[in-house]
Amino acid sequence: MSTIIEKTNIGRYPILDVNPVFESGRFAAKAIENEVLPITAKIFGEGHDKIGATVVLQDPDGNVHAEYLMQQVGYDADKNWNCLVQVGKTLGLWHFYIEAWLDAYHTWEHHAKIKVPSNQDVELTLAQGSQIFSAWSKQKDVPTALKKVLAPIVSDLLNTSLSPEERLFRATASNIQEIALSHPFRQYISKSKKYPIAVDRRLSSFSAWYQFFPRSEGAKQKKDGTWISGTFTTASKRLQAVKNMGFDIIYMPPIHPIGTTFRKGANNTLHAKDHEPGSPWAVGSSEGGHDVIHPELGTIRTFKSFIKRANELDLEVSLDIALQCSPDHPWVKEHPNWFTHRPDGTIAYAENPPKKYQDIYPINFDNEPDQIVEEVLRILHFWIDLGVTVLRIDNPHTKPVWFWEVVIKRIKETNPEVIWLAEAFTNPIAMKTLGLIGYDQSHSYFLWRNNKYELTEFLGQINDYDAFWYRATLWPTTPDNLTDYLANGGTAAHAIRAVLAAMGSTTWGIYAGYELVENIQRQNPDGSHALEHVDSEKYQFKQRNWKDVSKYGISDFITTLNRIRNNHVSCQNMHNLQVHTTTNDNIIAFSRHISGSFTTDGKDDTLITIVNLDPHHAHQAMVYLDYGALNLPERYEAVDEVTGNYFELGRSIYVDLAPVISVAHIFHIKR
Amino acid sequence: MSTIIEKTNIGRYPILDVNPVFESGRFAAKAIENEVLPITAKIFGEGHDKIGATVVLQDPDGNVHAEYLMQQVGYDADKNWNCLVQVGKTLGLWHFYIEAWLDAYHTWEHHAKIKVPSNQDVELTLAQGSQIFSAWSKQKDVPTALKKVLAPIVSDLLNTSLSPEERLFRATASNIQEIALSHPFRQYISKSKKYPIAVDRRLSSFSAWYQFFPRSEGAKQKKDGTWISGTFTTASKRLQAVKNMGFDIIYMPPIHPIGTTFRKGANNTLHAKDHEPGSPWAVGSSEGGHDVIHPELGTIRTFKSFIKRANELDLEVSLDIALQCSPDHPWVKEHPNWFTHRPDGTIAYAENPPKKYQDIYPINFDNEPDQIVEEVLRILHFWIDLGVTVLRIDNPHTKPVWFWEVVIKRIKETNPEVIWLAEAFTNPIAMKTLGLIGYDQSHSYFLWRNNKYELTEFLGQINDYDAFWYRATLWPTTPDNLTDYLANGGTAAHAIRAVLAAMGSTTWGIYAGYELVENIQRQNPDGSHALEHVDSEKYQFKQRNWKDVSKYGISDFITTLNRIRNNHVSCQNMHNLQVHTTTNDNIIAFSRHISGSFTTDGKDDTLITIVNLDPHHAHQAMVYLDYGALNLPERYEAVDEVTGNYFELGRSIYVDLAPVISVAHIFHIKR
């Protein structure tokens, strides 16, 4: 193509609004190894000629990994093109760009199929086709075997001993159409900018989290009412059960010494009684800060043993990084400049007037930013060196975003395996921005999305383009959150929210006790219910009876959910969820689907999850599947992965789901 | 601010989704001299501190032209900020960027106004304020006079002989608030990227076009039925009347020799009779091509006289550039490579099978792109050198976009005064792209937007952010288009569409005969009506009786519309239109408003246009004004600029509009 064209900003064929792209590549889109990703753009040519478009995918070394033919979709006037691409196993910064080109073969085919039958310019039209086949059969990227298919058509089209219909047929037969798909005849190729995709290991997106307080595991109450804390050693006995349920990550609140000044007591009371252990998030005492283990939990040696045991079970260990200090934290004396000083020389505690949080000194990152970065990096490396591979960052949105950009980037340079979860419950743009600058996952509004309309919108959002920047991890409860839905809905509600979380995103998690249906809310002094657990572990020890958990809890159901997730590659993708129509507002249906062109066994992997959202009543519904995306025959066999039962199903499915007995179907389509 | 922060991608305070920005500045936003433009972004900080934001506007020399304080608007969680800015008179490439910063003063004010009255940390809080005033009163950009207002507050706040309330009052009084608006205390300033705004002369956006066929003006039919063509000399006699109606641009179809091969006859018949003049868009004959004047129209000398006369009247002259050739165009022989050759050696005519357009040879821009660019530039310079300053490009979307990017850029280098109108009726993204790469204006879907719902959506779209890339010119008819609405609605319909066009965009135009309410459609052979004029001037001469035009036409009304447009700066802005609620689906109301901060006389300029869209019946309605954007008192005086009548109006306006007598009010608010 001429330089004059290549030098223009717009190029031979305009390629605009390319996605996934944030501000022209300011931040990379996120993906995991082997993930299948949608690429879209607006592409058009002038006049009536047909054009084609290709996505070229480059691995981190800059080599072409694969090319994909795009399709124009929707209304022609919208000029929307899309296709699915699949990144490979190599981790690092991939790139993609789009090539748009003149599709002279299909332009000619369109003309010829009108003109030849209507006896208009017949020989001329066939001769034009011959010229196209001549150039096509010489095109560099066409393999020799295929060139041999194209070459004879050059003379066939000119062979007047054959009927025009026969010649047109040969030039448009299915073997030619196949070559037009795999090695299209491309002229005047124009390229888009190159856009980044950061490919990380699978766990960065596909993960099941289990949160627990190690001090509760093995804690014992003495006769005088005081407690002996659980330790890493006693807590490690719980790991086998966590693994048995199918979780990948064991996650603990901060494990550091806890401040005593303004320590909070049981049920968030303002002053702790003696022997009350305090909140692990009030980090730091005279015994040390963020790089020290709470003496009651154990030592570096027992912590390492804990990690070793977890890793033997194929569990990764996540620490909670809460960058705030109790007034007793060593930094307060060692680095007073890292806090805000008031005119009277005192250090400013956290406040949102008229509310005061005197047990917490927030760090002022503007005072000595370089030094704070270095100290935090030192601390993170300390734990990473001990075997921590997952960091759950407490309230990252209350610290400057630039700080996380620097810290994540620096850690990724030496430890790209580390996975970052933002515990951010804040405004949407702040949550998205934390994803843009490096967080792999973030907490989400899932807790407050309970009915069908809320969930339809929410599941659509988090599994769409947003997921390239912001991956939502779905947790039915946290130590800070116990919703009315769960408090009022009992076991069925817990099962329902577990299905939605496990199947609604690539990443979900539970907080210990969920499998026991612990759902009693703390009462406020005014008699209303706080939206969190009574006798919260945040402020006290908690003994649980794990012995009979499978009898009266939902641990078996959770085990089933994690098994399904692990067995199905369609659960490992953030861009393949589709909500389907149901005739009952209490029943939601959604599918996850991966085409066989992207699976290792070559078979489509399709799961259809249908959930009764009402924890109190049975409901029936017709589910009408949107067949467009699912590649389904009229009738097909499916197995309900929850029960193991077989079904013969079709475009519409009748379901009858009752609380506790059967809150959900998860159909796997037999292929 | 520390380098470690400045080096990050995200900066101290995130600034995202800045508008008007296309693909991070890939193409510049469009504006005209002194235009008022909205700038928006998502901006946020961590925690509860208040932040502020400023837009900095730079002139083409890179000097700061002005700074504007942004406001946070809408739901807090959306983090949407906006403000209006005004570019200056200098034409060229302006830039803007956003600065976000800690607003320590308002953060403190918020705390102090809670804490002081509730007697919480009073002295400490006032002392914190003193520190802020101390730093603020030393801030570089604060003028000495204002520093003298701030400085005493430093000690006032510490002065225990004053009551805390008095001290807080002094620190938050209106004189301080004013400084906080004009010279805010700014800490930790973070900057966005710099984004381009191309500022062009007023006519590039604000223009009223008048299209006519010079061959019709002064054309005379002889006794034998044949015609003597009008000429530039006879046509120039029409210019005074066009100017009197208030138009800015006189625009002519192509003025070149017309092909004879396959020449179209009257009413688009396939074969012209002898003496039929043919379509001016079939450019080129043995007499010459795009750089030659049709001998029957005149000579270079008479063309120059025509332009001189137009310019004397302050009219600019627009030529129609139709880059296509009749089979008789000299290029066909001189540059056969510029066309597509068929295998039999013949040149391909235009076709969209099974339709053939044998009178037109399209140019193949891929064959010799550099040579075609040079030849087109030569031709354009030829006409520009003769005084043509406006180019109306025929069907630009059927030529490659890159071609226009190159040609417009090259012409702008030497002749930045030239204005470009795309006659593009095609898909939205192609129309927008032509704007992106340099077209000042484009035709639009206005022709097919007739009812209140269509118009509400359309006027909103074309006056919103889209207008930074794509400026829609509104024409009620063109030589190719006469809608049923106008064919059936008579004089009233013509008046209605004129008001909508003149007031609905900065740029509108009419095609000669509109003021005479020429609205008879051509009948198709099957009896249906073609959506264009009968006996179209495209294919034949047309004599019009201009003598009594003001008696039976709408030229006086059109004159009024152009007068209103010229008298009101609010009509010269593409971002200030707002549609208001009315109680009748036949009545639409919209306003244009410019704040007095941006006008030369310091007064708000506000027009409220209310139109009865039904050309057959009177309608009444209540119009409910959205006061938010209009800065109106409860009661105000207004003059109807159409009639000159005075009204006293309020938040809601009762209107009774009847066809012909009074199709519209255009209220100007007295300030």
Side-chain angles (χ1 to χ4, degrees):
Chain A
M1 193 157 52
S2 166
T3 334
I4 196 172
I5 303 176
E6 283 175 352
K7 273 188 177 167
T8 59
N9 184 330
I10 203 67
R12 178 62 187 89
Y13 294 106
I15 304 169
L16 303 164
D17 293 351
V18 182
N19 267 308
V21 174
F22 184 84
E23 292 187 6
S24 297
R26 180 173 174 191
F27 297 101
K30 282 183 213 309
I32 54 168
E33 43 187 311
N34 297 321
E35 197 169 10
V36 177
L37 313 171
I39 308 278
T40 59
K42 285 192 185 281
I43 306 172
F44 63 96
E46 72 285 356
H48 300 291
D49 285 347
K50 291 194 188 298
I51 59 167
T54 316
V55 175
V56 182
L57 194 58
Q58 282 184 340
D59 67 22
D61 295 327
N63 300 320
V64 172
H65 175 77
E67 301 195 10
Y68 300 87
L69 200 64
M70 300 186 86
Q71 301 291 333
Q72 198 186 337
V73 294
Y75 292 112
D76 176 61
D78 290 338
K79 305 297 173 192
N80 285 329
W81 291 69
N82 73 14
C83 73
L84 293 171
V85 308
Q86 186 173 32
V87 294
K89 283 187 159 208
T90 318
L91 308 188
L93 203 59
W94 291 60
H95 288 87
F96 75 95
Y97 56 90
I98 293 175
E99 292 180 344
W101 30 272
L102 177 65
D103 184 349
Y105 169 69
H106 283 116
T107 303
W108 169 81
E109 184 197 22
H110 174 71
H111 286 208
K113 283 189 169 172
I114 294 170
K115 288 169 138 188
V116 171
S118 62
N119 204 24
Q120 187 185 333
D121 298 337
V122 172
E123 288 304 325
L124 198 59
T125 302
L126 295 172
Q128 284 170 326
S130 175
Q131 290 179 340
I132 285 167
F133 276 86
S134 171
W136 192 5
S137 64
K138 288 167 197 147
Q139 185 170 285
K140 254 197 262 172
D141 71 327
V142 178
T144 313
L146 299 184
K147 282 180 177 161
K148 285 185 184 158
V149 179
L150 297 173
I153 312 289
V154 179
S155 47
D156 282 358
L157 281 166
L158 301 174
N159 183 352
T160 48
S161 71
L162 297 169
S163 73
E165 289 72 20
E166 172 62 19
R167 288 183 272 163
L168 178 59
F169 173 79
R170 290 191 186 182
T172 59
S174 63
N175 61 335
I176 303 298
Q177 300 295 348
E178 275 167 26
I179 303 175
L181 284 175
S182 67
H183 298 82
F185 180 44
R186 314 199 305 163
Q187 289 181 292
Y188 312 123
I189 299 172
S190 19
K191 293 185 186 190
S192 76
K193 244 187 93 170
K194 211 180 274 189
Y195 299 106
I197 301 175
V199 177
D200 214 331
R201 67 186 181 116
R202 195 173 74 154
L203 196 71
S204 71
S205 169
F206 182 68
S207 53
W209 297 66
Y210 189 86
Q211 174 177 15
F212 82 146
F213 285 64
R215 73 182 178 191
S216 284
E217 287 306 318
K220 277 183 192 150
Q221 195 165 21
K222 292 191 283 190
K223 287 191 179 151
D224 63 1
T226 63
W227 287 76
I228 299 170
S229 173
T231 66
F232 290 126
T233 310
T234 56
S236 70
K237 295 183 183 148
R238 179 78 189 130
L239 294 174
Q240 181 69 60
V242 171
K243 184 63 202 176
N244 289 348
M245 279 188 281
F247 289 99
D248 308 305
I249 299 172
I250 182 87
Y251 146 53
M252 293 174 286
I255 57 174
H256 318 301
I258 295 169
T260 51
T261 307
F262 295 106
R263 176 180 284 190
K264 293 276 176 69
N267 286 306
N268 201 21
T269 46
L270 270 185
H271 301 287
K273 296 176 204 140
D274 286 352
H275 307 298
E276 285 194 320
S279 162
W281 284 275
V283 177
S285 77
S286 58
E287 293 164 321
H290 286 82
D291 53 352
V292 170
I293 288 173
H294 194 303
E296 291 191 358
L297 284 175
T299 62
I300 294 289
R301 192 183 54 75
T302 60
F303 180 64
K304 281 168 83 168
S305 301
F306 177 88
I307 291 189
K308 185 159 171 271
R309 177 65 188 140
N311 292 350
E312 282 167 7
L313 293 166
D314 209 15
L315 281 169
E316 301 201 22
V317 175
S318 172
L319 272 201
D320 188 318
I321 306 297
L323 285 186
Q324 55 195 16
C325 298
S326 96
D328 313 311
H329 194 289
W331 284 350
V332 175
K333 282 184 188 144
E334 290 165 19
H335 302 285
N337 282 342
W338 295 1
F339 303 91
T340 300
H341 283 253
R342 305 196 294 182
D344 63 356
T346 59
I347 289 177
Y349 46 79
E351 60 177 333
N352 186 13
K355 289 188 203 160
K356 299 176 174 190
Y357 308 98
Q358 289 164 297
D359 56 332
I360 297 293
Y361 285 177
I363 295 166
N364 185 326
F365 291 82
D366 289 306
N367 286 356
E368 292 187 352
D370 297 77
Q371 292 85 332
I372 297 171
V373 164
E374 290 309 321
E375 171 67 356
V376 171
L377 287 171
R378 186 189 66 76
I379 288 166
L380 296 181
H381 278 298
F382 176 79
W383 297 111
I384 291 166
D385 290 349
L386 289 173
V388 172
T389 50
V390 181
L391 298 172
R392 179 272 197 194
I393 307 296
D394 188 71
N395 280 326
H397 55 289
T398 61
K399 288 88 190 170
V401 181
W402 69 261
F403 173 80
W404 299 120
E405 182 188 329
V406 171
V407 167
I408 294 174
K409 196 177 159 203
R410 291 276 296 275
I411 293 288
K412 275 199 199 274
E413 281 167 10
T414 53
N415 297 82
E417 76 282 4
V418 173
I419 287 159
W420 299 78
L421 167 63
E423 187 246 3
F425 296 107
T426 182
N427 63 78
I429 184 68
M431 290 164 80
K432 177 175 173 177
T433 305
L434 290 168
L436 289 171
I437 58 92
Y439 277 92
D440 298 293
Q441 303 183 13
S442 172
H443 272 279
S444 70
Y445 300 152
F446 174 67
L447 283 156
W448 306 285
R449 298 295 180 268
N450 289 291
N451 71 39
K452 180 174 162 181
Y453 296 97
E454 292 164 353
L455 284 163
T456 298
E457 187 191 21
F458 176 77
L459 293 176
Q461 274 171 356
I462 65 162
N463 285 280
D464 200 350
Y465 274 97
D466 281 2
F468 282 110
W469 324 112
Y470 164 85
R471 276 196 206 106
T473 182
L474 311 190
W475 294 57
T477 65
T478 75
D480 295 321
N481 291 284
L482 175 60
T483 63
D484 289 338
Y485 181 89
L486 290 167
N488 303 332
T491 302
H494 282 66
I496 291 164
R497 297 296 291 175
V499 183
L500 293 171
M503 305 308 293
S505 176
T506 52
T507 161
W508 80 301
I510 65 168
Y511 157 49
Y514 191 80
E515 63 273 55
L516 296 172
V517 192
E518 287 176 1
N519 68 333
I520 303 174
Q521 293 170 331
R522 174 167 63 77
Q523 222 172 348
N524 290 319
D526 67 2
S528 67
H529 284 278
L531 297 177
E532 59 176 41
H533 293 87
V534 70
D535 301 333
S536 168
E537 275 179 292
K538 285 195 290 182
Y539 312 106
Q540 64 192 79
F541 297 100
K542 183 156 201 148
Q543 260 184 331
R544 291 189 174 89
N545 177 9
W546 293 120
K547 262 193 194 164
D548 301 319
V549 56
S550 73
K551 283 190 198 152
Y552 53 88
I554 58 164
S555 65
D556 287 350
F557 187 63
I558 289 167
T559 309
T560 300
L561 292 174
N562 279 329
R563 177 181 49 71
I564 297 171
R565 285 167 48 87
N566 286 317
N567 287 347
H568 291 284
V569 69
S570 60
C571 293
Q572 302 173 20
N573 188 290
M574 290 264 14
H575 309 280
N576 66 345
L577 183 141
Q578 195 180 1
V579 179
H580 300 273
T581 305
T582 72
T583 56
N584 186 321
D585 285 351
N586 291 285
I587 292 184
I588 192 170
F590 57 90
S591 60
R592 289 197 174 275
H593 171 81
I594 296 277
S595 156
S597 4
F598 302 115
T599 60
T600 46
D601 64 1
K603 286 187 189 170
D604 288 15
D605 186 42
T606 312
L607 292 179
I608 300 168
T609 301
I610 306 172
V611 189
N612 175 7
L613 301 173
D614 181 347
H616 302 293
H617 303 95
H619 285 279
Q620 300 77 37
M622 292 302 297
V623 176
Y624 295 110
L625 297 178
D626 178 346
Y627 258 39
L630 297 182
N631 188 28
L632 287 177
E634 277 304 312
R635 304 293 301 170
Y636 53 89
E637 274 201 354
V639 61
D640 183 345
E641 295 266 6
V642 179
T643 59
N645 294 336
Y646 274 78
F647 293 86
E648 200 198 323
L649 301 174
R651 276 176 188 268
S652 52
I653 304 172
Y654 174 79
V655 295
D656 184 351
L657 294 164
V660 189
I661 300 164
S662 163
V663 299
H665 294 295
I666 303 178
F667 291 121
H668 174 230
I669 313 303
K670 290 283 158 199
R671 302 280 186 174
Chain B
M1 193 156 54
S2 165
T3 334
I4 197 173
I5 303 176
E6 283 175 352
K7 273 188 177 168
T8 59
N9 185 330
I10 203 67
R12 177 64 188 86
Y13 295 106
I15 304 170
L16 303 164
D17 293 351
V18 182
N19 267 308
V21 174
F22 183 85
E23 292 187 8
S24 295
R26 180 174 174 191
F27 297 101
K30 281 182 215 310
I32 53 169
E33 39 185 315
N34 297 321
E35 196 169 12
V36 177
L37 314 171
I39 308 278
T40 60
K42 286 193 185 280
I43 305 171
F44 64 95
E46 74 283 357
H48 299 291
D49 285 345
K50 291 194 189 297
I51 58 167
T54 316
V55 174
V56 182
L57 195 57
Q58 282 184 339
D59 68 22
D61 294 328
N63 300 319
V64 173
H65 174 77
E67 300 196 10
Y68 300 86
L69 200 65
M70 300 186 84
Q71 302 292 334
Q72 197 186 339
V73 293
Y75 292 113
D76 176 63
D78 289 338
K79 304 297 173 193
N80 285 328
W81 291 68
N82 73 14
C83 72
L84 293 172
V85 307
Q86 186 173 33
V87 294
K89 282 187 159 207
T90 319
L91 308 188
L93 203 59
W94 290 60
H95 287 87
F96 75 95
Y97 57 90
I98 293 176
E99 292 180 344
W101 29 272
L102 176 65
D103 184 348
Y105 169 70
H106 284 117
T107 303
W108 170 81
E109 183 197 24
H110 173 72
H111 286 209
K113 283 190 169 169
I114 295 169
K115 289 169 136 187
V116 171
S118 61
N119 204 23
Q120 188 184 331
D121 297 336
V122 172
E123 289 305 324
L124 198 59
T125 302
L126 296 172
Q128 282 170 327
S130 175
Q131 290 179 340
I132 285 167
F133 275 86
S134 171
W136 192 4
S137 63
K138 289 168 197 146
Q139 186 169 286
K140 253 197 264 170
D141 70 328
V142 179
T144 313
L146 299 183
K147 281 181 176 159
K148 284 185 184 159
V149 179
L150 297 173
I153 313 289
V154 179
S155 48
D156 283 357
L157 281 166
L158 301 174
N159 183 353
T160 48
S161 72
L162 298 170
S163 72
E165 288 73 21
E166 171 63 21
R167 288 182 272 163
L168 178 59
F169 173 79
R170 291 191 187 183
T172 59
S174 63
N175 61 335
I176 303 298
Q177 300 295 348
E178 275 166 27
I179 303 175
L181 284 176
S182 67
H183 298 84
F185 181 44
R186 314 199 304 163
Q187 288 181 295
Y188 311 123
I189 299 171
S190 18
K191 293 184 189 193
S192 75
K193 242 187 97 171
K194 210 180 276 188
Y195 300 105
I197 302 174
V199 176
D200 215 331
R201 67 185 181 118
R202 194 173 75 154
L203 196 72
S204 71
S205 171
F206 182 67
S207 52
W209 297 66
Y210 188 86
Q211 174 177 15
F212 82 145
F213 286 64
R215 72 182 178 192
S216 283
E217 286 307 318
K220 277 183 191 149
Q221 196 166 21
K222 291 190 283 188
K223 288 191 179 151
D224 64 359
T226 63
W227 286 76
I228 298 170
S229 173
T231 66
F232 291 126
T233 309
T234 55
S236 70
K237 295 181 184 152
R238 180 80 188 127
L239 295 174
Q240 180 70 59
V242 171
K243 184 62 202 177
N244 289 348
M245 278 189 283
F247 289 99
D248 309 306
I249 298 172
I250 182 85
Y251 147 52
M252 294 173 287
I255 57 174
H256 318 299
I258 295 168
T260 50
T261 307
F262 294 107
R263 175 180 283 189
K264 295 277 175 70
N267 285 306
N268 201 20
T269 47
L270 269 185
H271 301 287
K273 293 176 205 140
D274 285 353
H275 308 296
E276 285 194 320
S279 161
W281 285 275
V283 177
S285 77
S286 58
E287 293 163 319
H290 286 81
D291 53 353
V292 169
I293 288 174
H294 194 303
E296 291 190 358
L297 284 176
T299 62
I300 295 289
R301 192 183 53 77
T302 59
F303 181 63
K304 280 168 84 169
S305 300
F306 177 87
I307 291 190
K308 186 159 169 269
R309 176 66 189 138
N311 292 351
E312 281 166 9
L313 293 166
D314 210 15
L315 281 168
E316 300 201 24
V317 176
S318 172
L319 272 200
D320 186 318
I321 307 297
L323 285 185
Q324 55 195 13
C325 298
S326 95
D328 313 311
H329 194 289
W331 284 351
V332 175
K333 280 184 188 147
E334 291 165 18
H335 301 287
N337 281 344
W338 295 2
F339 303 91
T340 301
H341 283 254
R342 305 196 295 183
D344 63 356
T346 58
I347 290 178
Y349 46 80
E351 60 177 335
N352 186 14
K355 287 190 206 160
K356 299 175 174 190
Y357 308 97
Q358 288 164 298
D359 56 332
I360 298 294
Y361 284 178
I363 295 166
N364 185 326
F365 291 81
D366 289 308
N367 285 358
E368 293 188 351
D370 298 78
Q371 293 84 333
I372 296 171
V373 164
E374 291 307 323
E375 170 67 356
V376 170
L377 286 172
R378 186 189 67 75
I379 288 166
L380 296 181
H381 278 297
F382 177 78
W383 298 110
I384 291 166
D385 290 349
L386 289 173
V388 171
T389 50
V390 181
L391 298 172
R392 179 272 197 194
I393 307 295
D394 190 71
N395 279 324
H397 56 287
T398 60
K399 288 87 190 172
V401 181
W402 68 261
F403 174 77
W404 299 121
E405 183 188 330
V406 170
V407 167
I408 293 174
K409 195 176 160 203
R410 291 277 297 275
I411 293 288
K412 275 199 199 276
E413 281 166 10
T414 53
N415 298 82
E417 76 282 4
V418 173
I419 287 160
W420 300 77
L421 166 63
E423 188 246 2
F425 296 107
T426 182
N427 63 77
I429 184 69
M431 290 163 80
K432 176 174 172 177
T433 305
L434 291 168
L436 290 170
I437 57 90
Y439 277 93
D440 297 293
Q441 303 183 13
S442 171
H443 272 278
S444 71
Y445 300 153
F446 175 66
L447 284 157
W448 307 285
R449 299 293 180 268
N450 289 291
N451 71 39
K452 180 174 162 181
Y453 297 97
E454 293 164 353
L455 283 164
T456 298
E457 188 191 21
F458 176 77
L459 292 177
Q461 276 172 354
I462 66 162
N463 284 280
D464 200 350
Y465 274 96
D466 282 2
F468 282 112
W469 325 112
Y470 163 85
R471 276 197 206 105
T473 184
L474 311 190
W475 295 55
T477 65
T478 74
D480 295 322
N481 291 284
L482 174 61
T483 63
D484 289 338
Y485 182 88
L486 289 168
N488 302 333
T491 302
H494 282 65
I496 291 163
R497 297 296 291 174
V499 183
L500 294 169
M503 304 308 295
S505 176
T506 51
T507 161
W508 80 301
I510 65 167
Y511 157 49
Y514 191 78
E515 64 271 56
L516 295 172
V517 192
E518 286 176 2
N519 69 333
I520 302 173
Q521 292 172 332
R522 175 167 61 77
Q523 222 172 350
N524 290 318
D526 67 1
S528 66
H529 285 277
L531 297 177
E532 59 178 37
H533 293 87
V534 70
D535 301 334
S536 168
E537 275 179 291
K538 286 196 290 183
Y539 312 107
Q540 63 192 76
F541 297 100
K542 183 157 201 147
Q543 260 182 330
R544 290 189 175 90
N545 177 7
W546 294 120
K547 263 193 197 163
D548 302 319
V549 55
S550 73
K551 283 189 199 153
Y552 55 87
I554 59 164
S555 64
D556 288 350
F557 188 63
I558 289 168
T559 307
T560 299
L561 292 174
N562 279 329
R563 177 180 50 71
I564 297 170
R565 285 168 47 88
N566 285 316
N567 287 345
H568 290 284
V569 68
S570 61
C571 292
Q572 302 172 21
N573 188 290
M574 289 263 18
H575 310 282
N576 67 344
L577 183 142
Q578 196 180 0
V579 179
H580 300 273
T581 304
T582 72
T583 56
N584 186 322
D585 285 350
N586 291 286
I587 292 184
I588 191 169
F590 57 90
S591 60
R592 289 197 174 274
H593 172 81
I594 295 278
S595 156
S597 5
F598 302 116
T599 60
T600 46
D601 64 1
K603 286 187 187 170
D604 288 14
D605 185 43
T606 312
L607 291 179
I608 300 168
T609 302
I610 306 171
V611 189
N612 175 6
L613 301 172
D614 182 347
H616 301 294
H617 303 93
H619 284 279
Q620 301 76 38
M622 291 302 296
V623 177
Y624 295 109
L625 297 178
D626 179 346
Y627 257 38
L630 297 183
N631 187 29
L632 286 178
E634 277 303 312
R635 304 295 297 171
Y636 52 89
E637 273 199 356
V639 60
D640 183 345
E641 296 265 7
V642 178
T643 59
N645 294 334
Y646 273 77
F647 293 86
E648 200 199 322
L649 301 175
R651 275 176 188 269
S652 52
I653 304 173
Y654 174 79
V655 294
D656 184 351
L657 293 165
V660 188
I661 300 165
S662 163
V663 299
H665 293 296
I666 304 178
F667 291 121
H668 173 231
I669 312 304
K670 290 284 159 198
R671 302 281 185 174

